[in-house]
Amino acid sequence: MTVSRSNSNLFPAIGDIVGLIGGLLILVGYAFFPIEQGNSRTALSYVTSSNTFIALTFTVGLTAFVAALINLAVKERAIRWYLLGLGGLALIYPIDNALRGGGAFALGGYLTLLGIVALVVQVGLPRPGYHIYDRRSETIFALIRMMVATLWFTQLLWKLPWDNFGCATGALTPAANTSGLCDWIGREIASPRYPAYKDFLTGVIAPNLSWMAFLIVGSEAFVCFSLMFGLLTRLGGLVGFAMGLNLFIGLTGVRGEWDWTYLMLPLINLVFAVVGGRFFGVDGLITARLPTTTEKDGMAVRLLRGLVS
């Protein structure tokens, strides 16, 4: 039976299904099976702030799965280039592992490789009835957005609440040369760029760190998942800009820290406060369901449209 173009648009395209499976294979391979031969550890146990490429591959799998799922509703053919780019980023880990002479892959590693192959292969698969747009610029921005989200993700891993925010056991007391969040706030106090900021740390942050640590980690988590999934992306970019600026003020006085690191971070986050995440992100779903702009729109609708459009 011949399926008309209008009817075919009711069914998910094989390209999106393969992209969805690719992301799922990476997540399953990382979460449930040993990544290397001779070692029973899954890749998730290696996801730390120091293992950037392993963390990057994990976020690629998660982002690809969500993006392909979103596109089952949005139906944009340009998604294939975004998924292809994600597959290319995920290749960094196996290539780096091979060049460094790392261990041979076990089942988890092979499932991950199969997922990466799926993200690459889907680019040539048909998507009949899908919208055809030129999304080259948006694709690049979306890939950079996912990379920045990975950066924030790795910085969450060493200061999680159930690990005492990365601080030594006991009360959260800032002190240089301890560990985790307490260590870095302690370093900022010991080597301030601006005396007024030191007064802020000692007078406001340090006495209230037991609850402000939740605010710090929660803000970083919001930026991470906002940029990763393109959800309220403009707000996530603004929060990331503010936090990056705070890191510049606090850390560029610490010996060994590079000023440009903390200049580039807020500026890159600021980009997404401008370009948003409605392409290849959850904001696209929200935007498609917002009513047409009218003069009678309330403040809440105008604010939501500004955040997601």
Side-chain angles (χ1 to χ4, degrees):
M1 183 178 70
T2 302
V3 179
S4 69
R5 184 178 180 85
S6 59
N7 288 336
S8 67
N9 201 33
L10 298 175
F11 300 97
I14 185 65
D16 280 354
I17 297 300
V18 171
L20 196 70
I21 292 172
L24 185 61
L25 283 172
I26 293 173
L27 294 177
V28 169
Y30 259 44
F32 300 109
F33 300 99
I35 193 74
E36 293 183 351
Q37 293 182 15
N39 194 325
S40 61
R41 294 172 64 185
T42 67
L44 282 183
S45 65
Y46 289 99
V47 176
T48 66
S49 57
S50 59
N51 288 322
T52 303
F53 295 152
I54 293 181
L56 174 61
T57 311
F58 172 73
T59 57
V60 161
L62 185 58
T63 307
F65 180 79
V66 172
L69 194 63
I70 290 170
N71 205 53
L72 295 179
V74 177
K75 298 185 184 302
E76 278 201 31
R77 196 175 300 180
I79 190 69
R80 68 192 194 274
W81 300 115
Y82 180 50
L83 296 178
L84 175 65
L86 291 175
L89 292 175
L91 276 173
I92 294 175
Y93 168 59
I95 291 173
D96 178 71
N97 185 70
L99 293 177
R100 290 189 296 106
F105 283 142
L107 180 58
Y110 287 123
L111 286 175
T112 298
L113 287 175
L114 187 59
I116 294 171
V117 170
L119 292 180
V120 174
V121 167
Q122 60 75 41
V123 73
L125 298 178
R127 286 177 168 83
Y130 274 35
H131 307 296
I132 302 174
Y133 299 115
D134 182 355
R135 299 289 194 212
R136 285 174 292 183
S137 297
E138 290 88 349
T139 300
I140 297 299
F141 278 126
L143 291 172
I144 296 173
R145 192 186 77 217
M146 197 279 302
M147 292 283 285
V148 177
T150 303
L151 183 155
W152 286 109
F153 173 63
T154 60
Q155 298 314 298
L156 280 174
L157 297 173
W158 56 270
K159 49 179 178 294
L160 294 170
W162 48 86
D163 193 29
N164 205 38
F165 297 97
C167 300
T169 303
L172 303 184
T173 304
N177 301 315
T178 52
S179 65
L181 188 61
C182 295
D183 178 30
W184 283 101
I185 295 177
R187 295 189 193 197
E188 293 177 339
I189 293 172
S191 304
R193 185 181 185 95
Y194 306 111
Y197 188 71
K198 177 181 178 179
D199 295 340
F200 169 71
L201 292 175
T202 56
V204 178
I205 300 296
N208 299 290
L209 191 57
S210 59
W211 66 267
M212 292 201 75
F214 286 96
L215 179 62
I216 294 169
V217 172
S219 298
E220 291 189 7
F222 170 71
V223 176
C224 168
F225 291 107
S226 171
L227 298 183
M228 190 179 297
F229 301 132
L231 173 62
L232 300 178
T233 313
R234 294 184 189 277
L235 181 59
L238 282 173
V239 175
F241 169 75
M243 296 193 72
L245 193 60
N246 176 70
L247 290 174
F248 172 83
I249 295 170
L251 290 174
T252 51
V254 177
R255 184 175 182 180
E257 295 299 306
W258 191 34
D259 288 7
W260 279 102
T261 301
Y262 302 104
L263 280 174
M264 295 303 296
L265 181 60
L267 293 178
I268 292 174
N269 279 271
L270 189 60
V271 168
F272 299 106
V274 177
V275 302
R278 64 188 181 279
F279 307 111
F280 318 121
V282 178
D283 285 348
L285 282 178
I286 300 173
T287 301
R289 284 156 177 75
L290 286 176
T292 305
T293 303
T294 68
E295 294 182 357
K296 297 180 179 179
D297 285 344
M299 183 177 296
V301 173
R302 292 177 183 272
L303 178 60
L304 181 59
R305 184 179 286 111
L307 289 174
V308 301
S309 62

